[in-house]
Amino acid sequence: MSILKKVPNSVLWLLADNVFAQKNLINSAKNHGIKKERLIFASRVVPSEYLARYQLADLFLDTFPFNAGTIANDALFMGLPLLTLSGRSFASRYAGSLLTTLGLTDLITTNYKEYERLAVELATDRNKYADIKQSLDENRISGPLFDTARFVADYETVLVTALNEQLPNPDQPLPALSLTTLPTADLNTNLPSQAQQQLEQREPNIYIIAYSPETLVQSQDGFLLLDNLKNPRTDWMEYWPIREYLTANILDEGRLYGFLSPEFTSKTGLAYSGVIDHIAGCDDNVDVITFSPQADMGAFFLNVFEQIDTFDVGFKALAQELFNYIGLDVDLSAMIMDSRHVVYSNYFVARKKFWLEWFNLCEKIFDICEEHDNRLGNDFCTASKYD
């Protein structure tokens, strides 16, 4: 907070991962005379988006007494200068070790006063900051920190040296180790033909979410299985495995992804080949392709929210309140949805562009529902009358 006070127009950019910590931080900032707007909370995103964020920041303020580890490595790899405070414990010296390897020991401090002073200086002295940034850009390319091949060679040398010291006859050392790298073509020839074709043709990745031993074995040719038997958050049903997948994987720009329920084929009459045929008939520029087994529902109701409200009275009003709360400009009383927009259940496939927007919206709803003292979240967590 002291750094924010001394650096005009600065903001503190944090991860929105814990609603209780978020509220505490906002309250603490208020107590220090810092407006809550200067604390920016960002939700989790897929790895490629997460790494890209580091290029939009100016300075990584490391934590103490537990330094950043993998996250510090990610930030430095993306060219973001990092300021750390090193202590006596291993956990408080991790980021300092990374900076030392990069030759940036000037960014290592040993007390709060020096940490604060240097943070303010780097934020206000653009010449000094530019020098640090240039050194980081040069050293992360030419230095040893991100040189994996050098690390492997050095590590092999240490292993051989250690082993040689234990040999009965030190005059007969082990031969030097070497890496054998297979060309990409050789690796691909070992892939199953179906998987190789999928790589070449960029077929869609369409998963069937298995939530029981019975659905786990109901695999069909072409469909992939998303094992959800050990779902730790059954209260989020199918959203949880989809959320886990989108968080852990980098989506291909040109590929379609789908996460279908096990009843997909029985309700739509479509096997995997039928899905592929339908996709093949669509424009390549389409971001979302739907497979709705209940087209009649689209003719009965103005939109899906009105349809749900018929079975669970009050849902539409609650959904409207939610959208207003998160800043989504929609009027559910005037929204008209036809067969091009209506899909019941999770019967659709989409490209990365859609999934990122969808995931960002869902995470806002997720955060609200996870706030146990939030009245709106509690209303949404109430059991539905519609099965």
PDB file of all heavy atoms in Angstrom, residues 2 20 28 30 75 81 95 106-107 124 172 196 200 233 242 256 259 263-264 268 282 304 336 338 341 347 353 356 372:
ATOM      1  N   SER A   2       2.001   1.164   0.674  1.00  0.00           N
ATOM      2  CA  SER A   2       2.909   2.312   0.697  1.00  0.00           C
ATOM      3  C   SER A   2       3.478   2.565  -0.690  1.00  0.00           C
ATOM      4  O   SER A   2       3.630   3.719  -1.116  1.00  0.00           O
ATOM      5  CB  SER A   2       4.045   2.050   1.695  1.00  0.00           C
ATOM      6  OG  SER A   2       4.936   3.144   1.732  1.00  0.00           O
ATOM      7  N   PHE A  20     -12.523 -14.556   0.015  1.00  0.00           N
ATOM      8  CA  PHE A  20     -12.297 -14.025   1.362  1.00  0.00           C
ATOM      9  C   PHE A  20     -11.029 -13.164   1.386  1.00  0.00           C
ATOM     10  O   PHE A  20     -11.013 -12.075   1.968  1.00  0.00           O
ATOM     11  CB  PHE A  20     -12.179 -15.171   2.364  1.00  0.00           C
ATOM     12  CG  PHE A  20     -13.347 -16.119   2.323  1.00  0.00           C
ATOM     13  CD1 PHE A  20     -13.233 -17.366   1.746  1.00  0.00           C
ATOM     14  CD2 PHE A  20     -14.585 -15.742   2.834  1.00  0.00           C
ATOM     15  CE1 PHE A  20     -14.309 -18.231   1.686  1.00  0.00           C
ATOM     16  CE2 PHE A  20     -15.665 -16.588   2.784  1.00  0.00           C
ATOM     17  CZ  PHE A  20     -15.529 -17.838   2.197  1.00  0.00           C
ATOM     18  N   SER A  28      -8.280  -3.791   3.539  1.00  0.00           N
ATOM     19  CA  SER A  28      -6.983  -3.307   3.994  1.00  0.00           C
ATOM     20  C   SER A  28      -6.547  -2.096   3.185  1.00  0.00           C
ATOM     21  O   SER A  28      -6.023  -1.116   3.735  1.00  0.00           O
ATOM     22  CB  SER A  28      -5.942  -4.426   3.873  1.00  0.00           C
ATOM     23  OG  SER A  28      -4.678  -3.984   4.320  1.00  0.00           O
ATOM     24  N   LYS A  30      -8.500   0.050   1.732  1.00  0.00           N
ATOM     25  CA  LYS A  30      -9.346   1.168   2.168  1.00  0.00           C
ATOM     26  C   LYS A  30      -8.805   1.774   3.453  1.00  0.00           C
ATOM     27  O   LYS A  30      -8.774   3.000   3.617  1.00  0.00           O
ATOM     28  CB  LYS A  30     -10.773   0.673   2.368  1.00  0.00           C
ATOM     29  CG  LYS A  30     -11.755   1.755   2.775  1.00  0.00           C
ATOM     30  CD  LYS A  30     -13.158   1.183   2.937  1.00  0.00           C
ATOM     31  CE  LYS A  30     -14.133   2.270   3.382  1.00  0.00           C
ATOM     32  NZ  LYS A  30     -15.515   1.725   3.546  1.00  0.00           N
ATOM     33  N   ALA A  75       7.134 -15.522 -15.071  1.00  0.00           N
ATOM     34  CA  ALA A  75       7.193 -14.073 -15.284  1.00  0.00           C
ATOM     35  C   ALA A  75       8.507 -13.660 -15.944  1.00  0.00           C
ATOM     36  O   ALA A  75       8.521 -12.886 -16.899  1.00  0.00           O
ATOM     37  CB  ALA A  75       7.010 -13.348 -13.949  1.00  0.00           C
ATOM     38  N   PRO A  81      10.315  -7.932 -15.362  1.00  0.00           N
ATOM     39  CA  PRO A  81      11.243  -7.757 -14.248  1.00  0.00           C
ATOM     40  C   PRO A  81      10.583  -8.107 -12.914  1.00  0.00           C
ATOM     41  O   PRO A  81       9.405  -7.806 -12.703  1.00  0.00           O
ATOM     42  CB  PRO A  81      11.600  -6.265 -14.313  1.00  0.00           C
ATOM     43  CG  PRO A  81      11.390  -5.896 -15.746  1.00  0.00           C
ATOM     44  CD  PRO A  81      10.198  -6.709 -16.179  1.00  0.00           C
ATOM     45  N   ALA A  95      13.161 -16.985  -5.561  1.00  0.00           N
ATOM     46  CA  ALA A  95      13.190 -15.992  -6.639  1.00  0.00           C
ATOM     47  C   ALA A  95      14.565 -15.350  -6.748  1.00  0.00           C
ATOM     48  O   ALA A  95      15.033 -15.037  -7.855  1.00  0.00           O
ATOM     49  CB  ALA A  95      12.124 -14.932  -6.404  1.00  0.00           C
ATOM     50  N   ASP A 106      20.725  -7.016  -8.722  1.00  0.00           N
ATOM     51  CA  ASP A 106      20.277  -5.694  -8.259  1.00  0.00           C
ATOM     52  C   ASP A 106      18.805  -5.705  -7.861  1.00  0.00           C
ATOM     53  O   ASP A 106      18.332  -4.781  -7.184  1.00  0.00           O
ATOM     54  CB  ASP A 106      20.492  -4.640  -9.354  1.00  0.00           C
ATOM     55  CG  ASP A 106      21.957  -4.301  -9.552  1.00  0.00           C
ATOM     56  OD1 ASP A 106      22.764  -4.694  -8.692  1.00  0.00           O
ATOM     57  OD2 ASP A 106      22.289  -3.664 -10.573  1.00  0.00           O
ATOM     58  N   LEU A 107      18.059  -6.732  -8.309  1.00  0.00           N
ATOM     59  CA  LEU A 107      16.632  -6.826  -7.990  1.00  0.00           C
ATOM     60  C   LEU A 107      16.375  -7.642  -6.732  1.00  0.00           C
ATOM     61  O   LEU A 107      15.231  -7.916  -6.398  1.00  0.00           O
ATOM     62  CB  LEU A 107      15.881  -7.446  -9.177  1.00  0.00           C
ATOM     63  CG  LEU A 107      15.846  -6.613 -10.455  1.00  0.00           C
ATOM     64  CD1 LEU A 107      15.148  -7.371 -11.584  1.00  0.00           C
ATOM     65  CD2 LEU A 107      15.146  -5.281 -10.214  1.00  0.00           C
ATOM     66  N   THR A 124       9.209   4.733 -11.123  1.00  0.00           N
ATOM     67  CA  THR A 124       9.233   6.175 -11.440  1.00  0.00           C
ATOM     68  C   THR A 124      10.444   6.597 -12.262  1.00  0.00           C
ATOM     69  O   THR A 124      10.399   7.616 -12.942  1.00  0.00           O
ATOM     70  CB  THR A 124       9.204   7.004 -10.140  1.00  0.00           C
ATOM     71  OG1 THR A 124      10.281   6.580  -9.271  1.00  0.00           O
ATOM     72  CG2 THR A 124       7.883   6.798  -9.406  1.00  0.00           C
ATOM     73  N   GLN A 172      38.716 -46.659 -14.438  1.00  0.00           N
ATOM     74  CA  GLN A 172      37.842 -47.053 -15.532  1.00  0.00           C
ATOM     75  C   GLN A 172      36.495 -46.338 -15.403  1.00  0.00           C
ATOM     76  O   GLN A 172      35.496 -46.933 -15.012  1.00  0.00           O
ATOM     77  CB  GLN A 172      37.635 -48.561 -15.549  1.00  0.00           C
ATOM     78  CG  GLN A 172      38.919 -49.342 -15.795  1.00  0.00           C
ATOM     79  CD  GLN A 172      38.682 -50.844 -15.811  1.00  0.00           C
ATOM     80  OE1 GLN A 172      37.568 -51.300 -15.559  1.00  0.00           O
ATOM     81  NE2 GLN A 172      39.709 -51.601 -16.119  1.00  0.00           N
ATOM     82  N   GLN A 196      -2.770 -40.118 -35.578  1.00  0.00           N
ATOM     83  CA  GLN A 196      -1.964 -39.401 -36.546  1.00  0.00           C
ATOM     84  C   GLN A 196      -2.845 -38.637 -37.530  1.00  0.00           C
ATOM     85  O   GLN A 196      -2.580 -37.493 -37.881  1.00  0.00           O
ATOM     86  CB  GLN A 196      -1.067 -40.377 -37.300  1.00  0.00           C
ATOM     87  CG  GLN A 196      -0.047 -39.676 -38.209  1.00  0.00           C
ATOM     88  CD  GLN A 196       0.956 -40.663 -38.764  1.00  0.00           C
ATOM     89  OE1 GLN A 196       1.032 -41.792 -38.319  1.00  0.00           O
ATOM     90  NE2 GLN A 196       1.723 -40.230 -39.733  1.00  0.00           N
ATOM     91  N   GLU A 200      -3.143 -34.546 -38.390  1.00  0.00           N
ATOM     92  CA  GLU A 200      -3.013 -34.015 -39.732  1.00  0.00           C
ATOM     93  C   GLU A 200      -4.270 -33.269 -40.173  1.00  0.00           C
ATOM     94  O   GLU A 200      -4.218 -32.238 -40.823  1.00  0.00           O
ATOM     95  CB  GLU A 200      -2.712 -35.152 -40.711  1.00  0.00           C
ATOM     96  CG  GLU A 200      -1.351 -35.812 -40.457  1.00  0.00           C
ATOM     97  CD  GLU A 200      -1.162 -37.055 -41.297  1.00  0.00           C
ATOM     98  OE1 GLU A 200      -2.130 -37.463 -41.978  1.00  0.00           O
ATOM     99  OE2 GLU A 200      -0.054 -37.621 -41.288  1.00  0.00           O
ATOM    100  N   ARG A 233     -16.042 -31.934  -6.900  1.00  0.00           N
ATOM    101  CA  ARG A 233     -17.084 -30.921  -6.739  1.00  0.00           C
ATOM    102  C   ARG A 233     -18.315 -31.346  -7.514  1.00  0.00           C
ATOM    103  O   ARG A 233     -18.651 -30.779  -8.550  1.00  0.00           O
ATOM    104  CB  ARG A 233     -16.574 -29.560  -7.226  1.00  0.00           C
ATOM    105  CG  ARG A 233     -15.468 -28.952  -6.378  1.00  0.00           C
ATOM    106  CD  ARG A 233     -15.948 -28.660  -4.958  1.00  0.00           C
ATOM    107  NE  ARG A 233     -17.102 -27.801  -4.920  1.00  0.00           N
ATOM    108  CZ  ARG A 233     -17.026 -26.461  -4.909  1.00  0.00           C
ATOM    109  NH1 ARG A 233     -15.854 -25.857  -4.922  1.00  0.00           N
ATOM    110  NH2 ARG A 233     -18.125 -25.743  -4.870  1.00  0.00           N
ATOM    111  N   ILE A 242     -15.306 -29.705 -17.207  1.00  0.00           N
ATOM    112  CA  ILE A 242     -15.036 -28.789 -18.322  1.00  0.00           C
ATOM    113  C   ILE A 242     -14.104 -27.678 -17.843  1.00  0.00           C
ATOM    114  O   ILE A 242     -13.150 -27.295 -18.524  1.00  0.00           O
ATOM    115  CB  ILE A 242     -16.347 -28.189 -18.870  1.00  0.00           C
ATOM    116  CG1 ILE A 242     -17.255 -29.292 -19.426  1.00  0.00           C
ATOM    117  CG2 ILE A 242     -16.058 -27.152 -19.952  1.00  0.00           C
ATOM    118  CD1 ILE A 242     -18.629 -28.805 -19.858  1.00  0.00           C
ATOM    119  N   LEU A 256     -12.189 -27.518 -33.209  1.00  0.00           N
ATOM    120  CA  LEU A 256     -13.453 -27.494 -32.481  1.00  0.00           C
ATOM    121  C   LEU A 256     -13.355 -28.392 -31.253  1.00  0.00           C
ATOM    122  O   LEU A 256     -12.764 -29.474 -31.320  1.00  0.00           O
ATOM    123  CB  LEU A 256     -14.600 -27.965 -33.376  1.00  0.00           C
ATOM    124  CG  LEU A 256     -15.041 -27.015 -34.492  1.00  0.00           C
ATOM    125  CD1 LEU A 256     -15.867 -27.763 -35.521  1.00  0.00           C
ATOM    126  CD2 LEU A 256     -15.836 -25.847 -33.921  1.00  0.00           C
ATOM    127  N   PHE A 259     -17.875 -30.949 -25.171  1.00  0.00           N
ATOM    128  CA  PHE A 259     -17.935 -31.728 -23.937  1.00  0.00           C
ATOM    129  C   PHE A 259     -19.380 -32.189 -23.765  1.00  0.00           C
ATOM    130  O   PHE A 259     -20.210 -31.450 -23.228  1.00  0.00           O
ATOM    131  CB  PHE A 259     -17.473 -30.884 -22.747  1.00  0.00           C
ATOM    132  CG  PHE A 259     -16.123 -30.243 -22.943  1.00  0.00           C
ATOM    133  CD1 PHE A 259     -16.015 -28.957 -23.455  1.00  0.00           C
ATOM    134  CD2 PHE A 259     -14.965 -30.939 -22.659  1.00  0.00           C
ATOM    135  CE1 PHE A 259     -14.782 -28.368 -23.659  1.00  0.00           C
ATOM    136  CE2 PHE A 259     -13.709 -30.358 -22.854  1.00  0.00           C
ATOM    137  CZ  PHE A 259     -13.622 -29.076 -23.360  1.00  0.00           C
ATOM    138  N   GLU A 263     -25.584 -39.206 -22.787  1.00  0.00           N
ATOM    139  CA  GLU A 263     -26.858 -39.450 -23.473  1.00  0.00           C
ATOM    140  C   GLU A 263     -26.920 -38.801 -24.850  1.00  0.00           C
ATOM    141  O   GLU A 263     -27.953 -38.834 -25.520  1.00  0.00           O
ATOM    142  CB  GLU A 263     -28.019 -38.930 -22.621  1.00  0.00           C
ATOM    143  CG  GLU A 263     -28.199 -39.632 -21.284  1.00  0.00           C
ATOM    144  CD  GLU A 263     -27.286 -39.079 -20.205  1.00  0.00           C
ATOM    145  OE1 GLU A 263     -26.623 -38.037 -20.460  1.00  0.00           O
ATOM    146  OE2 GLU A 263     -27.200 -39.678 -19.128  1.00  0.00           O
ATOM    147  N   PHE A 264     -25.811 -38.195 -25.281  1.00  0.00           N
ATOM    148  CA  PHE A 264     -25.828 -37.446 -26.541  1.00  0.00           C
ATOM    149  C   PHE A 264     -26.345 -38.283 -27.713  1.00  0.00           C
ATOM    150  O   PHE A 264     -27.261 -37.873 -28.418  1.00  0.00           O
ATOM    151  CB  PHE A 264     -24.425 -36.921 -26.857  1.00  0.00           C
ATOM    152  CG  PHE A 264     -24.327 -36.240 -28.199  1.00  0.00           C
ATOM    153  CD1 PHE A 264     -24.756 -34.938 -28.363  1.00  0.00           C
ATOM    154  CD2 PHE A 264     -23.820 -36.917 -29.304  1.00  0.00           C
ATOM    155  CE1 PHE A 264     -24.674 -34.301 -29.601  1.00  0.00           C
ATOM    156  CE2 PHE A 264     -23.735 -36.298 -30.543  1.00  0.00           C
ATOM    157  CZ  PHE A 264     -24.162 -34.991 -30.686  1.00  0.00           C
ATOM    158  N   THR A 268     -29.883 -37.631 -29.604  1.00  0.00           N
ATOM    159  CA  THR A 268     -29.806 -36.977 -30.908  1.00  0.00           C
ATOM    160  C   THR A 268     -29.834 -37.970 -32.064  1.00  0.00           C
ATOM    161  O   THR A 268     -30.118 -37.593 -33.203  1.00  0.00           O
ATOM    162  CB  THR A 268     -28.510 -36.152 -31.028  1.00  0.00           C
ATOM    163  OG1 THR A 268     -27.376 -37.040 -30.941  1.00  0.00           O
ATOM    164  CG2 THR A 268     -28.430 -35.106 -29.927  1.00  0.00           C
ATOM    165  N   CYS A 282     -20.774 -27.333 -42.408  1.00  0.00           N
ATOM    166  CA  CYS A 282     -20.845 -25.968 -41.874  1.00  0.00           C
ATOM    167  C   CYS A 282     -19.687 -25.121 -42.391  1.00  0.00           C
ATOM    168  O   CYS A 282     -18.630 -25.636 -42.770  1.00  0.00           O
ATOM    169  CB  CYS A 282     -20.815 -25.999 -40.349  1.00  0.00           C
ATOM    170  SG  CYS A 282     -22.221 -26.850 -39.600  1.00  0.00           S
ATOM    171  N   VAL A 304     -34.528 -19.684 -23.852  1.00  0.00           N
ATOM    172  CA  VAL A 304     -34.312 -20.798 -22.916  1.00  0.00           C
ATOM    173  C   VAL A 304     -34.604 -20.393 -21.468  1.00  0.00           C
ATOM    174  O   VAL A 304     -34.986 -21.221 -20.643  1.00  0.00           O
ATOM    175  CB  VAL A 304     -32.876 -21.338 -23.018  1.00  0.00           C
ATOM    176  CG1 VAL A 304     -32.651 -22.013 -24.362  1.00  0.00           C
ATOM    177  CG2 VAL A 304     -31.844 -20.234 -22.792  1.00  0.00           C
ATOM    178  N   ILE A 336     -34.944 -12.922 -28.127  1.00  0.00           N
ATOM    179  CA  ILE A 336     -35.594 -13.931 -28.962  1.00  0.00           C
ATOM    180  C   ILE A 336     -34.551 -14.937 -29.424  1.00  0.00           C
ATOM    181  O   ILE A 336     -33.540 -14.571 -30.013  1.00  0.00           O
ATOM    182  CB  ILE A 336     -36.280 -13.290 -30.188  1.00  0.00           C
ATOM    183  CG1 ILE A 336     -37.350 -12.286 -29.726  1.00  0.00           C
ATOM    184  CG2 ILE A 336     -36.889 -14.359 -31.085  1.00  0.00           C
ATOM    185  CD1 ILE A 336     -37.985 -11.511 -30.861  1.00  0.00           C
ATOM    186  N   ASP A 338     -34.030 -18.545 -31.614  1.00  0.00           N
ATOM    187  CA  ASP A 338     -34.631 -19.534 -32.506  1.00  0.00           C
ATOM    188  C   ASP A 338     -33.682 -20.724 -32.641  1.00  0.00           C
ATOM    189  O   ASP A 338     -32.734 -20.858 -31.862  1.00  0.00           O
ATOM    190  CB  ASP A 338     -34.957 -18.923 -33.870  1.00  0.00           C
ATOM    191  CG  ASP A 338     -33.742 -18.306 -34.545  1.00  0.00           C
ATOM    192  OD1 ASP A 338     -32.617 -18.804 -34.316  1.00  0.00           O
ATOM    193  OD2 ASP A 338     -33.904 -17.334 -35.297  1.00  0.00           O
ATOM    194  N   HIS A 341     -29.933 -20.472 -32.257  1.00  0.00           N
ATOM    195  CA  HIS A 341     -29.329 -20.079 -30.987  1.00  0.00           C
ATOM    196  C   HIS A 341     -29.690 -21.006 -29.834  1.00  0.00           C
ATOM    197  O   HIS A 341     -29.054 -20.963 -28.784  1.00  0.00           O
ATOM    198  CB  HIS A 341     -29.776 -18.658 -30.597  1.00  0.00           C
ATOM    199  CG  HIS A 341     -29.670 -17.665 -31.691  1.00  0.00           C
ATOM    200  ND1 HIS A 341     -30.762 -17.199 -32.384  1.00  0.00           N
ATOM    201  CD2 HIS A 341     -28.596 -17.056 -32.246  1.00  0.00           C
ATOM    202  CE1 HIS A 341     -30.369 -16.320 -33.296  1.00  0.00           C
ATOM    203  NE2 HIS A 341     -29.057 -16.217 -33.232  1.00  0.00           N
ATOM    204  N   TYR A 347     -25.002 -29.860 -25.783  1.00  0.00           N
ATOM    205  CA  TYR A 347     -24.866 -30.450 -27.101  1.00  0.00           C
ATOM    206  C   TYR A 347     -24.397 -29.422 -28.132  1.00  0.00           C
ATOM    207  O   TYR A 347     -25.161 -28.958 -28.981  1.00  0.00           O
ATOM    208  CB  TYR A 347     -26.187 -31.087 -27.543  1.00  0.00           C
ATOM    209  CG  TYR A 347     -26.634 -32.229 -26.664  1.00  0.00           C
ATOM    210  CD1 TYR A 347     -27.940 -32.718 -26.714  1.00  0.00           C
ATOM    211  CD2 TYR A 347     -25.755 -32.841 -25.770  1.00  0.00           C
ATOM    212  CE1 TYR A 347     -28.351 -33.767 -25.919  1.00  0.00           C
ATOM    213  CE2 TYR A 347     -26.159 -33.890 -24.965  1.00  0.00           C
ATOM    214  CZ  TYR A 347     -27.451 -34.352 -25.039  1.00  0.00           C
ATOM    215  OH  TYR A 347     -27.852 -35.387 -24.246  1.00  0.00           O
ATOM    216  N   LYS A 353     -12.106 -19.270 -29.581  1.00  0.00           N
ATOM    217  CA  LYS A 353     -12.642 -17.925 -29.373  1.00  0.00           C
ATOM    218  C   LYS A 353     -13.889 -17.963 -28.500  1.00  0.00           C
ATOM    219  O   LYS A 353     -14.047 -17.165 -27.574  1.00  0.00           O
ATOM    220  CB  LYS A 353     -12.958 -17.296 -30.727  1.00  0.00           C
ATOM    221  CG  LYS A 353     -13.568 -15.905 -30.652  1.00  0.00           C
ATOM    222  CD  LYS A 353     -13.889 -15.376 -32.050  1.00  0.00           C
ATOM    223  CE  LYS A 353     -14.540 -14.010 -31.993  1.00  0.00           C
ATOM    224  NZ  LYS A 353     -14.882 -13.507 -33.350  1.00  0.00           N
ATOM    225  N   LEU A 356     -13.157 -19.338 -24.680  1.00  0.00           N
ATOM    226  CA  LEU A 356     -12.542 -18.360 -23.778  1.00  0.00           C
ATOM    227  C   LEU A 356     -13.576 -17.363 -23.258  1.00  0.00           C
ATOM    228  O   LEU A 356     -13.577 -17.007 -22.077  1.00  0.00           O
ATOM    229  CB  LEU A 356     -11.407 -17.622 -24.491  1.00  0.00           C
ATOM    230  CG  LEU A 356     -10.184 -18.470 -24.873  1.00  0.00           C
ATOM    231  CD1 LEU A 356      -9.122 -17.598 -25.521  1.00  0.00           C
ATOM    232  CD2 LEU A 356      -9.612 -19.179 -23.650  1.00  0.00           C
ATOM    233  N   HIS A 372     -20.079 -17.524  -0.007  1.00  0.00           N
ATOM    234  CA  HIS A 372     -21.121 -18.070   0.862  1.00  0.00           C
ATOM    235  C   HIS A 372     -21.966 -17.002   1.560  1.00  0.00           C
ATOM    236  O   HIS A 372     -23.060 -17.292   2.043  1.00  0.00           O
ATOM    237  CB  HIS A 372     -20.484 -18.989   1.909  1.00  0.00           C
ATOM    238  CG  HIS A 372     -19.730 -20.132   1.303  1.00  0.00           C
ATOM    239  ND1 HIS A 372     -20.341 -21.149   0.612  1.00  0.00           N
ATOM    240  CD2 HIS A 372     -18.404 -20.396   1.260  1.00  0.00           C
ATOM    241  CE1 HIS A 372     -19.437 -22.009   0.189  1.00  0.00           C
ATOM    242  NE2 HIS A 372     -18.251 -21.578   0.557  1.00  0.00           N
TER     243      HIS A 372
END
